[in-house]
Amino acid sequence: LALDVVKQIWNVTGSGGVNFSAVGGTETNCSGEVTPWGTTITCEETTGNNTDANGDGYYDLGWCIEINPSTRKILDYGTSSPQKLWALGRMSHENVKVLPSDQKTVYFGEDEGDGSVYKFIADVAGDLSSGQLFVLKVDQPLVNNEPVVSTGTWLLVPNTTKQERNDVKQYALNAGATTFGGVEDVDVSPVDGMVYFAVKGPGRVYRFSDDGTTVSSFSTFIGGQSYRIN
């Protein structure tokens, strides 16, 4: 496939599989993203069993993988060998959303009963192989799945070493990140610029404004009540 970035139309130029063996394979691929620069990202919604079959220091499953759809190759980011997006951390990834305006900011969540919402800011636009990772902490715990305050903070998550990247979920939980019962799609509205994310457990869609190191206007967008439909 080749993507016409301007028209956002896929053109079929050939077909074939992607070889994931060099990165320890892949399983339980969920959603993903078409990046502003024309690649695709697929997300592994499983962390597997803490195996490291290829001995590279990273557990095999629980990552995002960026693919050039024209060549069917996993990106290597100048290393000469295919790499998963290690810096985004290991967890049960649902999808990712790259902010088109800066091509550096990425939002995503984990589809677990104690899943969190994350933000990644790449060091270089269009290259997600390195950058800072943050997890969302709403300033007060939700009560019956409803926010009682509208503010929150982005907590910095260590993601430099291989072990830190393997263990981002545990660090986030230990740091007090807000957890949600199964984060599904995370997206950014082209209308109001707010970040929206669906949580399947409580049946809610939440939204917030990202103010940099903090968030504001955190609220339930829809769910938790009956709606009249005409």
Side-chain angles (χ1 to χ4, degrees):
L1 294 175
L3 176 66
D4 185 324
V5 179
V6 176
K7 296 181 179 179
Q8 291 292 297
I9 295 175
W10 287 102
N11 297 311
V12 178
T13 58
S15 62
V18 177
N19 186 352
F20 292 94
S21 61
V23 291
T26 190
E27 289 182 16
T28 320
N29 300 88
C30 192
S31 184
E33 167 74 316
V34 177
T35 68
W37 49 92
T39 61
T40 62
I41 296 176
T42 183
C43 300
E44 296 175 341
E45 197 184 304
T46 181
T47 54
N49 298 312
N50 294 352
T51 58
D52 179 13
N54 59 4
D56 62 358
Y58 290 112
Y59 295 135
D60 296 324
L61 301 173
W63 310 94
C64 298
I65 311 170
E66 188 174 5
I67 302 165
N68 182 332
S70 298
T71 62
R72 304 192 303 277
K73 300 293 185 181
I74 299 169
L75 271 62
D76 62 20
Y77 310 104
T79 66
S80 75
S81 62
Q83 305 288 318
K84 293 187 179 183
L85 286 169
W86 314 117
L88 271 65
R90 176 175 174 261
M91 65 192 71
S92 296
H93 286 275
E94 176 70 25
N95 80 308
V96 297
K97 176 60 182 179
V98 180
L99 196 62
S101 58
D102 69 0
Q103 300 190 16
K104 296 173 67 174
T105 303
V106 186
Y107 298 100
F108 52 96
E110 52 180 331
D111 192 354
E112 289 281 2
D114 57 354
S116 297
V117 173
Y118 293 81
K119 175 173 72 170
F120 177 82
I121 302 178
D123 294 331
V124 178
D127 182 349
L128 306 182
S129 62
S130 66
Q132 291 186 304
L133 181 64
F134 303 86
V135 66
L136 178 64
K137 180 180 181 180
V138 181
D139 285 338
Q140 291 187 33
L142 278 63
V143 176
N144 296 324
N145 300 306
E146 290 297 325
V148 296
V149 296
S150 61
T151 56
T153 304
W154 289 111
L155 305 176
L156 183 65
V157 179
N159 72 328
T160 302
T161 69
K162 293 181 180 181
Q163 197 59 54
E164 287 173 344
R165 293 170 173 180
N166 282 334
D167 294 336
V168 295
K169 177 180 177 63
Q170 194 57 51
Y171 180 88
L173 292 176
N174 292 343
T178 300
T179 59
F180 304 90
V183 180
E184 292 290 335
D185 185 71
V186 181
D187 218 320
V188 179
S189 169
V191 178
D192 58 22
M194 298 181 73
V195 180
Y196 289 72
F197 64 98
V199 183
K200 63 185 179 184
R204 303 285 198 283
V205 176
Y206 301 103
R207 65 178 175 180
F208 61 85
S209 295
D210 186 356
D211 303 322
T213 58
T214 60
V215 305
S216 59
S217 302
F218 189 95
S219 63
T220 298
F221 174 62
I222 194 169
Q225 58 180 294
S226 298
Y227 295 88
R228 181 180 178 84
I229 299 176
N230 295 321

